Amino acid sequence: MDSSTLLERRVRVLGRHSPLFYDRPLEIVRGEGVWLWDAQGERYLDAYNNVPHVGHCHPRVVEALTRQARTLNTHTRYLHETVVRYAERLLATFNASLGNVLFCCTGTEANELALRIARECTNAQGIIATDFAYHGNSAAVAQISSVFTPPERRGRFVRTIPVIDPYRERRGRDDETLGAAYASEVARAIEAFHRDGVRVAGILLCTALSSEGLPQVPQGYFPRIAKLVRDAGGLFIADEVQAGFGRFGSHMWGHQLHGATPDIVTLGKPMGNGHPLAGVVARADLVEAFTSENMYFNTFGGNPVSASVGLAVLDVLRDEGLLENARRVGDYVIAGLRRLQDKHALIGDVRGRGLFFAVEIVSERTAKTADAAVTKRIVNGMRERGVLLSRIGPHDNILKIRPPMTFSTENADLLLGTLDRVLTDL
Ligand SMILES: Cc1ncc(COP(=O)(O)O)c(C=O)c1O
């Protein structure tokens, strides 16, 4: 059966609006490491997916999953050594002030729980998010996922701050001055809440500002806004669903890179390498206060199979030196992207860290005019030539490159060579 028939069947049962990548959607049938194969046997380099964090179908993860699934799978209301060991191993990667973890199954659930903890523990309701954020799909989390939820549907307990855009807005300012200017937007949001009689429960931010376009965050910005929110009685909630588990190479968590320890951290996507595993890591006093009033239980969250998978992911990250790999290959990719920027006027800006890159496509370099149409053509052109990536940002003009952590310099050469050809052929 060819993929067009499958597409028709899919539309019939999943509806017209179930999202698919690319003008010619891909039917992927197999994955291994950084490679994916479609139903026609074509091979693709995966330069996009962060869920298969240690590589598609990593044998150690698959083995851990199947071994535990053959032995036992229950839930967290029984004692199980693997669940406790996983919690210990995970918490050891955080600042000591973050002492407890609650397990769940998706990033949405993690953020939903984080909002509940923050609101309950501060006895306040107001949440600050950016105006181009994605944090998930539950009712409360959709209200702070401004990328899909217009202001009139966010309710009076959500206020947004503008996406920071140092590429366009630096205008000669150093990090200190620029960070202070951006932080003043948080102060403004707090004042607006107070004018409305709403007290501040917290700020929830993706530490990569990924949907926002992976801007280069001014040094000191995160600590500065965390302080503003705490001074107003709120908590700093770091969404590590995209930035976490060593994506930036230099640190295990995005907030560590930014030098700001959160009160609550949410985890997801890469945590289970494709198995639905997510979690909330928080100050033990917050977890104590929240769970003493609210019995928190999640049937599937952190079960023995999930914990075995989570442990295997941590083991592979350590044993294969994947943070170091992200640093080394990441620097190589950035250098290659900068060479492409010298050659192709369409590339307005190149930024990134570890294995997370953003390439701004502009129609005019001086004016920095975003070119969404060309960006879309590039993404589709790359797909046609066997390299998968996507696009992000408020203007839909930023190539998003975020491969599995096992990405090598040879993979990088293929990515860069293909991008060079696609840009040349536009
Ligand atoms: C930063 C961030 N937070 C939360 C989520 C929601 O995670 P999930 O789709 O597992 O509910 C996403 C998903 O794209 C995300 O990118």
Coordinates of all heavy atoms in Angstrom, one line a residue, residues 106-108 111 134-136 206 239 241-242 269, ligand 1:
T106 N 3.7 12.6 30.5 CA 3.9 13.5 29.4 C 4.4 14.9 29.9 O 4.1 15.2 31.1 CB 2.6 13.8 28.6 OG1 1.7 14.5 29.4 CG2 1.9 12.5 28.1
G107 N 4.9 15.7 29.0 CA 5.3 17.0 29.4 C 4.1 17.8 29.8 O 4.2 18.7 30.8
T108 N 3.0 17.6 29.2 CA 1.8 18.4 29.6 C 1.4 18.1 31.0 O 1.2 19.0 31.8 CB 0.6 17.9 28.7 OG1 0.9 18.2 27.3 CG2 -0.7 18.6 29.0
N111 N 3.8 19.8 33.4 CA 3.5 21.2 33.5 C 2.2 21.5 34.3 O 2.1 22.4 35.0 CB 3.5 21.9 32.2 CG 4.9 22.1 31.7 OD1 5.8 22.4 32.5 ND2 5.2 22.0 30.4
Y134 N 5.2 27.0 24.0 CA 4.4 25.8 23.9 C 4.8 25.0 25.1 O 6.0 24.6 25.3 CB 4.6 25.0 22.6 CG 3.6 23.8 22.7 CD1 2.3 24.0 22.5 CD2 4.1 22.5 22.9 CE1 1.4 22.9 22.6 CE2 3.3 21.4 23.0 CZ 1.9 21.6 22.9 OH 1.0 20.6 23.0
H135 N 3.8 24.6 26.0 CA 4.1 23.8 27.2 C 3.2 22.6 27.3 O 3.3 21.8 28.2 CB 3.9 24.7 28.4 CG 4.9 25.8 28.5 ND1 6.3 25.6 28.7 CD2 4.8 27.1 28.4 CE1 6.9 26.8 28.7 NE2 6.0 27.7 28.5
G136 N 2.2 22.5 26.3 CA 1.4 21.3 26.4 C -0.1 21.6 26.1 O -0.5 22.7 25.7
C206 N 10.4 27.7 29.2 CA 11.3 26.7 28.6 C 12.7 27.2 28.6 O 12.9 28.4 28.1 CB 10.8 26.4 27.1 SG 12.1 25.6 26.1
D239 N 10.8 24.7 32.5 CA 10.4 23.6 31.6 C 11.6 23.1 30.9 O 12.2 23.8 30.0 CB 9.3 24.1 30.6 CG 8.8 23.1 29.7 OD1 9.6 22.1 29.4 OD2 7.7 23.2 29.2
V241 N 11.6 20.2 29.2 CA 11.2 19.2 28.3 C 12.0 19.1 27.0 O 12.3 18.0 26.4 CB 9.7 19.4 28.0 CG1 9.2 18.5 26.8 CG2 8.8 19.1 29.2
Q242 N 12.5 20.3 26.5 CA 13.3 20.3 25.3 C 14.8 20.5 25.6 O 15.6 19.9 25.0 CB 12.9 21.4 24.4 CG 11.5 21.1 23.8 CD 11.4 21.7 22.4 OE1 12.3 21.8 21.6 NE2 10.2 22.2 22.1
K269 N 9.8 14.6 27.1 CA 10.3 14.0 25.9 C 11.5 13.1 25.9 O 11.4 11.9 25.8 CB 10.7 15.2 24.9 CG 9.4 15.9 24.4 CD 9.8 16.9 23.3 CE 8.7 17.9 22.9 NZ 7.7 17.3 22.0
Ligands
LIG1 C1 8.9 22.9 26.0 C2 7.8 21.9 26.0 N1 7.1 21.7 27.1 C3 6.1 20.8 27.2 C4 5.7 20.0 26.0 C5 4.5 19.1 26.1 O1 5.0 17.8 26.2 P1 4.0 16.6 25.7 O2 3.8 16.7 24.3 O3 4.8 15.4 26.1 O4 2.8 16.7 26.5 C6 6.4 20.2 24.9 C7 6.0 19.5 23.6 O5 6.3 19.8 22.5 C8 7.5 21.2 24.8 O6 8.2 21.4 23.7

